[in-house]
Amino acid sequence: MDIVVKGRKTEVPERFRKHVAEKLKLDKVQKLDAKVISLDVEVSKEPNPRQADRSDRVEITLRSRGPVVRAEAAAADPYAALDLATAKLEARLRKQHDKRYSRRGNGRIPASEVAVTVPDAASLNTNGELAAEAEQKVPTTRMGSIDVQGEGPLIVREKTHSAAPMLLDQALNEMELVGHDFYLFVDADTKLPSVVYRRHAYDYGVIHLNPDLFGEEEPGGAGGALGG
């Protein structure tokens, strides 16, 4: 397994690279995930002096033959940020390891039961548009390689990922592994682009997007639960 350490708009000292190798103990990681292929560690620095207590950010990405696991943290120095990110990574790996041996793939949720198992609705405005999309329709100005929406904020990162179809419970699991509050995926049952997101406590919501919905049907105002 390889560990790749890189800096984003900052230099990474050799001393820190050695510390990463010592901190991310390969034998411990491989015990929790035997299929791991590589670990990427990205270090970045926030130049704003008002954020001095969170100026250094470390993001760890673990790639394996299973789902990608990601953890990130910010602190006053890169060593402290690495400690926090490593603790998060190990916690997620341990949770995935325990779930793998306890569930054995049971409890999958078919798309036909999504409305009952994961209750929520996608809201439409009076024009038949998704409310979240309508809110994003603001003037965009191109400044070099960065897009500025309205008065801001700046769009500083853009990512494209491959999307193999998966079931809802797998999407929920992968959302937890990357530590995000939402996860985009293609539903294996409906073949629709979908997003699952965290609501309150252990409640989740799910939205399915029908590419033909607005082209073939009249706008219906605020929507009910999709699939219900």
Side-chain angles (χ1 to χ4, degrees):
M1 180 180 70
D2 298 325
I3 299 180
V4 178
V5 183
K6 59 184 178 180
R8 179 154 56 91
K9 297 182 180 180
T10 186
E11 293 293 329
V12 181
E14 186 61 28
R15 177 188 172 192
F16 183 78
R17 295 178 185 273
K18 293 180 179 179
H19 183 70
V20 169
E22 296 172 355
K23 186 69 178 179
L24 293 172
K25 299 184 183 300
L26 300 185
D27 56 342
K28 186 174 183 180
V29 172
Q30 290 174 326
K31 281 183 179 179
L32 295 173
D33 189 342
K35 298 180 180 180
V36 62
I37 298 172
S38 66
L39 277 170
D40 293 338
V41 180
E42 184 178 271
V43 183
S44 59
K45 192 170 185 66
E46 170 58 56
N48 188 343
R50 289 182 295 180
Q51 299 185 22
D53 59 334
R54 296 174 57 83
S55 61
D56 290 274
R57 177 172 294 274
V58 172
E59 179 178 310
I60 306 173
T61 303
L62 182 148
R63 292 181 172 84
S64 70
R65 292 191 292 275
V68 173
V69 183
R70 183 175 291 110
E72 60 181 302
D77 64 78
Y79 294 91
L82 177 65
D83 289 345
L84 293 172
T86 300
K88 289 182 180 180
L89 179 72
E90 291 179 354
R92 287 168 187 164
L93 285 176
R94 191 172 294 107
K95 181 178 179 180
Q96 174 68 2
H97 178 271
D98 294 343
K99 184 180 294 185
R100 185 183 301 121
Y101 284 94
S102 62
R103 292 184 58 186
R104 295 293 185 182
N106 294 328
R108 290 185 172 180
I109 305 171
S112 60
E113 299 178 8
V114 167
V116 177
T117 308
V118 186
D120 209 337
S123 298
L124 305 178
N125 62 19
T126 55
N127 295 322
E129 300 173 314
L130 287 173
E133 293 180 352
E135 293 174 358
Q136 294 176 359
K137 290 185 177 180
V138 295
T140 301
T141 304
R142 189 73 174 178
M143 299 181 64
S145 60
I146 299 177
D147 290 329
V148 180
Q149 293 186 339
E151 299 297 327
L154 297 179
I155 298 175
V156 296
R157 181 181 296 185
E158 181 177 346
K159 294 183 178 180
T160 301
H161 298 281
S162 299
M166 64 179 66
L167 295 173
L168 177 60
D169 67 326
Q170 184 180 354
L172 285 167
N173 184 48
E174 298 209 16
M175 180 183 73
E176 294 291 345
L177 289 176
V178 297
H180 290 172
D181 291 327
F182 67 92
Y183 191 82
L184 299 172
F185 69 104
V186 177
D187 191 286
D189 289 328
T190 65
K191 302 302 186 291
L192 294 178
S194 308
V195 59
V196 63
Y197 60 95
R198 191 188 315 279
R199 298 182 70 241
H200 308 289
Y202 296 101
D203 291 341
Y204 300 92
V206 62
I207 297 174
H208 298 294
L209 296 182
N210 187 337
D212 299 325
L213 179 62
F214 303 129
E216 298 179 357
E217 300 181 4
E218 293 296 325
L226 294 181

